[in-house]
Every structure is written in structure tokens, then in C-alpha cells.
Amino acid sequence: MQAGEGSAELKFNSRDPVYLQVVRYFKEEIATGRLEKGQIIPSRREIAGKLKINPNTAQKAYKEMEEQALIVTEGNSPSRITTDEHVLSLIRNELITDAVDAFVLSIAKIQVPVEELLAIVKNKVESTYNQGAKEEQA
């Protein structure tokens, strides 16, 4: 997402605070490579306009991202995605762990044997990845 770039895609839920959803959105954009290390991000005012959120909410999200070292803002320069490889690795691991935790909690009630579950997950992931590769080639 470059400063001044088109609309951002983020659907807010009613469970989590909006500013935390914005932080998660940036983490996902970083983890997928749509936002690269060192890349300039939109100003707080720009992101508020793009996401149709209160500027104070955008400010709170940016403050949280700065505290987590996801972004760096020096003086009056535009905010940038961190270049700290350790932080970038932590973002990816956090997203994977969150997804696995949610999956395990949802599947635990069924009591599927681990080997069976791993085989199902492996097949599903491979078919999803293969489908994505086919769509990219088209």
C-alpha cells in the first residue's frame, strides 16, 4: 500500500476494537509481502479516509504499531514498515499461531486422531496452494 494508492480492503468485525483490526490488517499485509520492509505507508489521515474510520482510531492503530515495532516514524518523515528481520519473523509466526489456535479449538470437539487430521490439512493446503498457482498463471 503506497501513500496515495487505491482503496484498502478491510472488513471490520464487531467483536474486536477497530484499531486492533487495523493493526492486524497491516500485519497480514506485511506477512504476505504486499507491504515490504522499509516501505512508506499512508499517513494516519490518509488511512483513516481509505478505511473510513475516525482519524483518532487511525492514530491509535499507528501508535500500537510503533509500540510493537511494526512501523518506524522518524521526526516529520513518513511512517515506514520496519526493516527489523526479527520483528518481521515474529509477525508471520504470530499470524500462523493465531490461525492454528483457532483451528485447533474449533476441531477439538470432534476428537479427530492427529494423523488423520494432519493428512486432511496437508491435502487441503496442497490443493489450495495448487489452485492459487493455477489462478496466477491464468
Side-chain angles (χ1 to χ4, degrees), residues 5-63:
E5 190 174 284
S7 65
E9 293 182 31
L10 174 59
K11 294 186 185 341
F12 295 105
N13 68 56
S14 58
R15 296 181 315 271
D16 304 314
V18 171
Y19 83 97
L20 290 178
Q21 292 179 62
V22 172
V23 172
R24 182 166 182 87
Y25 169 77
F26 271 86
K27 287 179 177 180
E28 290 171 353
E29 294 295 289
I30 292 166
T32 60
R34 288 188 290 268
L35 286 176
E36 298 175 2
K37 62 183 176 181
Q39 181 175 341
I40 294 175
I41 59 173
S43 71
R44 288 143 178 83
R45 184 174 293 139
E46 286 176 296
I47 203 71
K50 285 180 182 182
L51 298 177
K52 297 178 177 61
I53 60 175
N54 186 301
N56 292 333
T57 302
Q59 173 62 30
K60 190 170 184 177
Y62 275 52
K63 183 177 186 301

